[in-house]
Amino acid sequence: MVNQSSPVGFLLLGFSEYPGLERILFVVVLTSYLLTLVGNTLIILLSVLDPRLHSPMYFFLSNFSFLDLCFTTSCVPQMLVNLWGPKTISFLGCFIQLFIFMSLGTTECILLTVMAFDRYVAVCQPLHYATIIHPRLCWQLAAVAWVLGLAQSIVQTPPTLLLPFCPHRQIDDFLCEVPSLIRLSCGDTTYNEIQLVVSSFFILVVPLSLVLVSYGTIARAVLRINSTQAWKRALGTCSSHLMVVTIFYSSVIAVYLQPKNPYAQKRGKFFGLFYAVGTPSLNPLIYTLRNKEVKRAFRRLLGKDGESREN
């Protein structure tokens, strides 16, 4: 058995049955990681340096970008090593990766919910927005997201790595994740599976439900206003966040709520790859390409006229 005292660690199989695919994935993952680093760093810099972006929306967006930077850095370097060379990871390395990955993933779920609440107030309570979403509340909501993510990881990680693992130590995944480690166990995993279902409900289903309620309320508020301008303003305010929510939750639900069969596990690896690598690189593109304020801030950073007419 492999347990917390084992020095040998694990084998991350990833897509080792497809060597040619691994070389292609190495290029794709490296490119996506570089885009993630550049795009999210740019958003953080713009939010800090441009006074016109010193608002709750961009405070939460810069938090989200910093989160994506940490999220991908916790797994992508190891993934690149495994795609190109040795596929081993030490027990300690697996523990650290699982702990950070789960903590940041949970934080991201909660932070997306907080951002949906911010958009709800902006559209449905515009006259009271500055009073409701004040700087102190922004810091409190962000702190709650980070602390709950840390707490979830503290609860979930130790029981997972204390499981009695099978002697072959082969994780059928490209990183240390709870579902893959549960499948690796040769002992009774009933408690861990129940814990996974319960935690998935509270960190996936509940936040997603709150996001849907927020956007349902926004939709009803806009429908009551017979104004094309109001529609455009609401769409401009919410569309980027709604796209990010859709992409994020589609991939994470496919990873953590998949049925138990070989086909679903194979498909889950591709969804997991997209969840870990694809979404953090797409998020800055979505927010910059669809957000005129960010584009104007970028032009001002380059020393150009930020108030020039946008196409």
Side-chain angles (χ1 to χ4, degrees):
M1 297 296 179
V2 177
N3 54 32
Q4 70 276 16
S5 63
S6 173
V8 291
F10 304 95
L11 296 173
L12 292 167
L13 297 181
F15 299 97
S16 55
E17 67 268 37
Y18 308 110
L21 177 61
E22 284 194 321
R23 296 295 180 262
I24 297 173
L25 287 177
F26 179 88
V27 176
V28 172
V29 170
L30 178 59
T31 303
S32 298
Y33 184 50
L34 294 176
L35 288 175
T36 299
L37 294 179
V38 174
N40 286 291
T41 301
L42 179 61
I43 287 177
I44 294 171
L45 287 176
L46 291 176
S47 299
V48 171
L49 298 177
D50 196 311
R52 302 189 191 190
L53 298 186
H54 291 176
S55 66
M57 175 181 175
Y58 295 103
F59 170 79
F60 292 127
L61 180 57
S62 60
N63 261 268
F64 192 70
S65 295
F66 178 70
L67 180 65
D68 274 344
L69 287 175
C70 298
F71 185 72
T72 53
T73 302
S74 71
C75 61
V76 170
Q78 175 72 45
M79 194 185 303
L80 290 172
V81 170
N82 292 345
L83 286 171
W84 193 259
K87 302 186 182 303
T88 57
I89 183 171
S90 67
F91 183 89
L92 178 61
C94 187
F95 176 87
I96 293 172
Q97 186 181 80
L98 178 62
F99 186 88
I100 296 175
F101 193 78
M102 177 163 292
S103 175
L104 297 179
T106 303
T107 303
E108 190 159 357
C109 292
I110 299 170
L111 194 57
L112 284 171
T113 308
V114 170
M115 293 169 76
F117 171 70
D118 172 68
R119 296 301 82 207
Y120 157 74
V121 178
V123 174
C124 299
Q125 304 286 335
L127 299 179
H128 303 286
Y129 179 77
T131 303
I132 298 173
I133 310 294
H134 50 80
R136 183 180 176 185
L137 180 64
C138 292
W139 281 100
Q140 289 172 339
L141 291 173
V144 166
W146 286 91
V147 170
L148 287 179
L150 181 62
Q152 164 63 18
S153 191
I154 291 173
V155 170
Q156 189 84 42
T157 302
T160 303
L161 288 173
L162 286 171
L163 284 168
F165 296 116
C166 297
H168 59 76
R169 310 185 314 278
Q170 296 179 354
I171 300 176
D172 190 17
D173 210 332
F174 49 84
L175 52 83
C176 291
E177 280 197 289
V178 174
S180 301
L181 288 167
I182 290 177
R183 289 195 297 269
L184 180 61
S185 175
C186 290
D188 184 12
T189 60
T190 303
Y191 169 78
N192 300 83
E193 292 175 3
I194 293 174
Q195 187 183 50
L196 179 61
V197 171
V198 172
S199 63
S200 296
F201 176 79
F202 282 106
I203 67 176
L204 292 178
V205 178
V206 172
L208 179 58
S209 299
L210 293 175
V211 169
L212 294 177
V213 168
S214 297
Y215 278 109
T217 307
I218 290 172
R220 286 198 300 272
V222 174
L223 286 172
R224 287 198 295 264
I225 305 173
N226 188 19
S227 169
T228 304
Q229 190 64 28
W231 271 98
K232 290 181 178 179
R233 187 163 54 249
L235 185 64
T237 301
C238 303
S239 60
S240 296
H241 179 256
L242 192 55
M243 287 177 64
V244 170
V245 167
T246 302
I247 294 171
F248 175 80
Y249 275 102
S250 298
S251 56
V252 76
I253 287 174
V255 174
Y256 286 96
L257 299 180
Q258 58 178 292
K260 281 187 172 182
N261 60 71
Y263 172 74
Q265 292 175 17
K266 292 291 183 183
R267 183 186 59 188
K269 280 200 287 187
F270 283 99
F271 277 112
L273 182 66
F274 182 72
Y275 162 59
V277 180
T279 53
S281 63
L282 288 176
N283 292 343
L285 291 176
I286 293 171
Y287 276 111
T288 54
L289 294 178
R290 299 185 61 84
N291 191 310
K292 289 185 178 181
E293 286 301 319
V294 173
K295 289 189 285 186
R296 287 170 179 164
F298 182 62
R299 291 175 64 86
R300 288 193 290 269
L301 185 66
L302 295 178
K304 298 182 180 180
D305 182 10
E307 302 301 325
S308 60
R309 187 173 298 173
E310 298 270 345
N311 292 328

